Amino acid sequence: MLSLVAASAGFNAPHLAAPRSSIQVSMDTNIVDCPGPVGKVQAVPNPGSSPEFAQLQTLAKELNPVVGYYDPLNLAMLNFWGQGEAATIGFLRHAEIKHGRVSMFAFVGYIVHENGIRWPWPLATSLPDYSSFEGLSAPAVWDALPMASKLQIIGVIGFFEVWSETKFVLESDGEKHYMSGGKPGYFPSFDLGEPREGLCAPLGWGIAHPVPFNLYDPFGFSKNRSPAAKAQGLVTEINNGRLAMLGIMGFVSAAKIPGSVPALEGAIKAYSGEIMAPFL
């Protein structure tokens, strides 16, 4: 459920903005190159003619052969921040994958909290047990957390955001930003925590200490998968993410407006708080 609160932080709605001067964040060397609402505006003479658009249509058919490509708002052709069609499609695809992943965590988390499953150790020195959480709905559990706990959670999410958007980190994995020709949904490894010969890193090795597991595939199960298997896995992940987005909003709707989801009537605890105001 805590992942649901972070969903809004993981997405920034695009603006169709006029050209702006290029902005770079650097520490002696350029380690963050912002590809979003900065840089030179690229005109799109023939919207829908790019290879990325053709790939998007093909992927849509693989995801749902019945519906196929469906974009009633023509978002793929809006040229976000004047960065071109390829960058716009990269942004949209990455946003959907990220929202799907957050929603899958949120869906499972909602079920866990709704059923009173708790972490076995004390949450904080001020909370030696979980008696104050008994009987609460999943969103109310978040409301009842100490502010220090909330800030820790948001801080970790913020680190993941910065790490996955940093040019130096992506290039160290041999990848590019998703708006610059990189793979939408790619999350870089934490291998910069290990010393490497000839690595010119402004932050030493990249992070302060070695991290034993990567966020993606921590045990290396996917290392030897074929490209076809990985492509099928992506299709499965996107479809599961779409279903989870519908599922978590169904839970939230049923909690906030009893009777709004007949199938969940009586199965979800009511919630009287404000879902979209996580710090109130």
Side-chain angles (χ1 to χ4, degrees):
M1 180 59 211
L2 302 180
S3 300
L4 174 63
V5 180
S8 61
F11 179 81
N12 294 313
H15 297 278
L16 305 182
R20 304 182 190 179
S21 59
S22 178
I23 298 175
Q24 292 181 337
V25 180
S26 63
M27 294 175 59
D28 296 329
T29 59
N30 175 31
I31 61 169
V32 179
D33 186 3
C34 303
V38 296
K40 186 177 179 180
V41 173
Q42 299 181 24
V44 181
N46 297 306
S49 61
S50 67
E52 288 77 11
F53 186 79
Q55 293 169 7
L56 185 63
Q57 291 179 307
T58 300
L59 177 62
K61 202 68 177 174
E62 294 174 357
L63 289 165
N64 191 322
V66 176
V67 177
Y69 180 72
Y70 183 68
D71 182 14
L73 299 180
N74 285 325
L75 294 177
M77 299 184 186
L78 290 185
N79 192 15
F80 294 166
W81 302 293
Q83 296 299 296
E85 188 168 274
T88 298
I89 291 173
F91 175 88
L92 290 169
R93 287 194 58 201
H94 189 82
E96 180 184 27
I97 293 170
K98 180 184 291 186
H99 277 72
R101 289 170 178 170
V102 170
S103 295
M104 285 188 277
F105 275 112
F107 185 86
V108 174
Y110 201 107
I111 295 172
V112 167
H113 291 302
E114 193 79 0
N115 286 279
I117 301 173
R118 309 289 184 229
W119 190 251
W121 298 283
L123 185 64
T125 54
S126 60
L127 291 170
D129 57 46
Y130 289 87
S131 58
S132 60
F133 294 89
E134 293 301 325
L136 295 181
S137 66
V141 170
W142 168 265
D143 293 342
L145 286 177
M147 181 57 70
S149 299
K150 294 179 181 179
L151 293 178
Q152 288 179 52
I153 293 167
I154 299 301
V156 170
I157 294 170
F159 166 75
F160 288 156
E161 286 290 296
V162 172
W163 187 257
S164 64
E165 295 283 335
T166 302
K167 180 180 179 182
F168 172 76
V169 173
L170 291 166
E171 289 181 345
S172 295
D173 273 6
E175 297 292 337
K176 297 179 180 180
H177 192 274
Y178 52 84
M179 290 183 70
S180 300
K183 300 175 185 175
Y186 180 80
F187 191 91
S189 70
F190 296 128
D191 293 343
L192 283 174
E194 303 174 3
R196 285 189 286 175
E197 189 70 29
L199 179 65
C200 179
L203 303 179
W205 294 342
I207 45 182
H209 58 81
V211 178
F213 299 107
N214 288 315
L215 189 63
Y216 169 73
D217 193 25
F219 302 106
F221 294 147
S222 299
K223 185 180 299 183
N224 298 319
R225 294 180 68 193
S226 67
K230 290 181 179 179
Q232 182 57 47
L234 178 62
V235 169
T236 302
E237 180 186 23
I238 294 174
N239 276 330
N240 286 342
R242 289 176 175 178
L243 186 60
M245 285 187 270
L246 295 173
I248 188 59
M249 291 311 298
F251 283 166
V252 170
S253 299
K256 188 66 177 175
I257 309 174
S260 60
V261 185
L264 296 176
E265 183 71 25
I268 300 294
K269 297 171 185 170
Y271 174 62
S272 59
E274 180 51 68
I275 290 284
M276 297 305 173
F279 292 105
L280 292 181

